[in-house]
Amino acid sequence: MAADSMEIDDALYSRQRYVLGDTAMQKMAQSHVFLSGIGGLGVEIAKNIILAGVKALTVHDTKQCTKWDLGINFFIHEDDITSQRNRAEATLHRIAELNPYVHVAASTVPLDETTDLSFLKQYQCVILTEVSLLLQKKINDFCHAQQPPIKFISADVYGICSRLFCDFGDEFEVLDTTGEEPKEIFISNITQSNPGIVTCLENHPHRLETGQFLTFREVNGMSCLNGSTHQITVVSPYSFSIGNTSDMEPYLHGGIAVQVKTPKIFYFERLEKQIRNPLCLVADFSKPEAPLQIHVAMLALNHFQESFGRRPNIGCLQDAEEMLKIAMSISETLENKPQVNGDVVKWLSRTAQGFLAPLAAAVGGVASQEVLKAVTGKFSPLQQWLYIDMLDIVTPLEKMGSEEFLPRGDRYDALRACIGDSLCQKLHDLNVFLVGCGAIGCEMLKNFALLGVGTGQDKGLVTITDPDLIEKSNLNRQFLFRPHHIQKPKSYTAAEATLNINPYLKIDSYINKVCPATENTYSDEFYTKQDVIVTALDNVEARRYIDSRCVANLRPLIDSGTMGTKGHTEVIVPHLTESYNSHRDPPEEEIPFCTLKSFPAAIEHTIQWARDKFESSFSHKPSLFNKFWQTYPSAEEVLQRIKSGESLEGCFHVIKTLSRRPRSWTQCVELARVKFDKYFSHKALQLLHSFPLDTRLKDGSLFWQSPKRPPFPVKFEFNDPLHYGFIVSAAKLFATVYCVPFTEKDLSEETILKIISAVKVPEFRPSNKVVQTDETARKPDHIPVSSEDERNAIFQLEKSILSNEALESDLQMKPISFEKDDDSNGHIDFITAASNLRAKMYNIEPADRFKTKRIAGKIIPAIATATAAVSGLVALELIKVVGGYPADAYKNCFLNLAIPIMVFTETAEVRRTEIRNGISFTIWDRWTIYGKEDFTLLDFINAVREKYGIEPTMVVQGVKMLYVPVMPGHIKRLKLTMQKLVKPSADKKYVDLTVSFAPETDGEEDLPGPPVRYYFVQEDN
């Protein structure tokens, strides 16, 4: 994104554009940022803001690379240490190649209390890491005093605690505080009263907040509201008040209220003042006192450093005592005199020399988003402190001797100082299966490499899989990939890049999808070899499937995901927590068929209609056409069979397509022109014929009232770019599916105009078709073919054969697969033109190509900041899973960096289901029965009763009912052997069955039971 042209490289930035918007992207592309300290936290921030696309970044550092850095900075390599390179110079070219549009420079000059700070005036934002508190205050004062203020951010990770501080000047204006699309609310009523109460359409809650502003349009009756803006007060989920409407005309019908985004001013105080009275974001509401306690502890650490010129020694009780004294005296100087938590101070002291790389990833993601807010004014800034800690891990570490935490002279010394050597070894010996190597997957692999996951001498392996190839749009977030990797498999490339971070990692990469079809690869045996499964997926269906495999094989699972600035993490631990499938989000609301077909009310409806038209015309119909002619190889044979009265499925539509097949570019353009009138003129005329504008319902109300919008035919105008755009894009796609060649000259305006001028468009003739108005009705699977249509088909096919237009080459089409990211293929061009023409027909606000692409392509907005934060939090939970921590140590997280909020919650405790007589089970329980060759179904039922004290009344295998007593013939099955009933493959040692039990009272449903794993023969112990 070159700043001089302000062109945004959509191929690279498309997913991020949907998060930030173009205005913010362009502001970012003009911003200069200064970052001091390129250690583990600095490199995270640098990575994220370079991927985002600032104009220029200066990275400043005065330290040399050491062995220690290998475990915290993923861009420092062994040769940087042997060459004794400066950290900024060593990482410069590696961070610079993340984004060719960003100018990255290194600075190695000292930055201390004597430095003249005027050089900072060239920057819009200054970020400090690993800088003394005294110097932070001095630089903050300088930045705050500038006009306009230089936005100031400081961040640090010390051992198991992290701190982030922001100061964007006395007043900081934000144009869009949330980044959410403005809400549109369809109105059903407005009262004539003071205040006037606005009620929404039934079952459509407004989701507004008191104090927000709305503007009105298309209100009938109370028309003076149209175009006016009102501040609202929420009355209920379906109504709100807008001030005095008693003198207005009575409301009749219709109307849309649209949310108006209003700028907001945020006020900041300098670091010096905020230290004494900090304003903190609370992330864990079970510990609201924690931020202040960590605030005091970290200030004590800063004072300790200033007094002794060093951090407290690892595990040194004397230093911890000294720090506790300092904390006590600091607490007295703060306005609220917060209580000092001795454990927090002690553990910060014990681990302060260490560094948790995943904690840096989490706080680095949040800090980077604050940088983007600082330079763009988009989203609500952090006010003003955030503390994220890992204090949940300390309890088991209490019992370890201090030698566990001491350095060994390897790359894991910083980690060892935080979690001890035993836990480090467990991480090295870990077998982990990572599903997905996209944005979260790349970040997770970086975290694995820094933690030394899968590097054990005898044990430990990282297995990864991803079926996708790398595309240019991935490079904006998936930081292990570079332009020369485009079109290479993600998993192989990610594995190779991870070995650059830590060459001792053992990694196996696959390119299969994880789904029922690949259970030979990802078998039960495969899962039982894994210690933990980590998902980095972008869809719920895949998550549900992997969760079910983890539950079946009693494996821990850590799931995460992002959408724009939002993210979540979830920890699933056998026998302790619920699983992913234990809770279900409500299904996405589908647009009713009649709304799409005849009554669109919003641009989303017209975009979905256009997307469906694309699928039907250019993919579905050509595929059915090809399939038909693969089944019936010649037109003559088909003619003979339908003449003899045979009914061939799909034959009428296939013959219709064949008889109308365009055979030249001219005919493709003609077809597009005819379709224009069919879609955007005749459809409107037909609806108005079926339902004239004055049509009333049984209750006397108008048929055409909100949300139904009457259509008006669109008259074709060659000079209208929208009309012309539809003709060209449709003609090109028709030419592609019908294998018609075309040239650049064919696409010229002159050629198109000449063809269109000669087209005779069929006149509209109204039909008596029934228009579906029932919102619950679904799209019919098959439209019956009349006998007249059948006779017509015979005539058309005879004509095609006689004209030599049913040859082998005529019986083939080329279906098109929708591809949203290739701008040269015309797919989004067609959908944008078709959608906006339909919107025009229904008087709906159109959408630009950019918005259309997001909705039609179901693009998930994404940004590196949220991805980095989420993956860091996952890696922190991984440490707890590996350490075998109790249930209350695990934390799920929901975050939205835009607002910003970060909420940690305890995991949901696993529920126990009672069967009866004290017999119960959880999702993690599995009963086991060992059989033998002649074991019958009755033997199986008896074995369950004898072993578990309850007799099954129903036995099911997957979807196959093996034994349901009320079903005919099932009683006879009791004598059949399990081998015969189940029919296992030769290598199958067991089968998982579902059993249920008779209810205590007749008429009630059967009682569920846990899965029962039946082994066909007794296993050798």
Side-chain angles (χ1 to χ4, degrees), residues 913-972:
T913 304
E914 292 286 332
I915 304 174
R916 63 166 179 263
N917 305 336
I919 301 167
S920 64
F921 68 95
T922 75
I923 53 165
W924 298 103
D925 289 326
R926 188 173 62 219
W927 293 355
T928 311
I929 298 292
Y930 292 98
K932 47 184 194 265
E933 211 165 311
D934 58 353
F935 217 67
T936 64
L937 177 58
L938 183 59
D939 292 332
F940 170 79
I941 288 169
N942 289 337
V944 172
R945 188 189 63 228
E946 283 167 29
K947 190 169 179 182
Y948 296 104
I950 189 162
E951 184 175 316
T953 49
M954 194 156 86
V955 183
V956 178
Q957 177 197 357
V959 292
K960 182 178 160 191
M961 292 187 174
L962 295 185
Y963 178 62
V964 182
V966 295
M967 289 186 74
H970 274 220
I971 298 294
K972 291 179 185 172

Side-chain angles (χ1 to χ4, degrees), residues 19 112 174 272 283 340 407 411 526 539 613 631 653 688 739 743 745 779 824 830 858:
V19 181
D112 53 36
V174 173
E272 182 77 65
V340 174
R411 64 169 64 218
F526 171 85
N539 71 88
K613 270 283 170 266
T631 313
H653 296 291
L688 293 172
C739 312
T743 63
K745 187 170 182 268
K779 185 178 180 179
S824 66
F830 170 82
K858 293 185 166 66

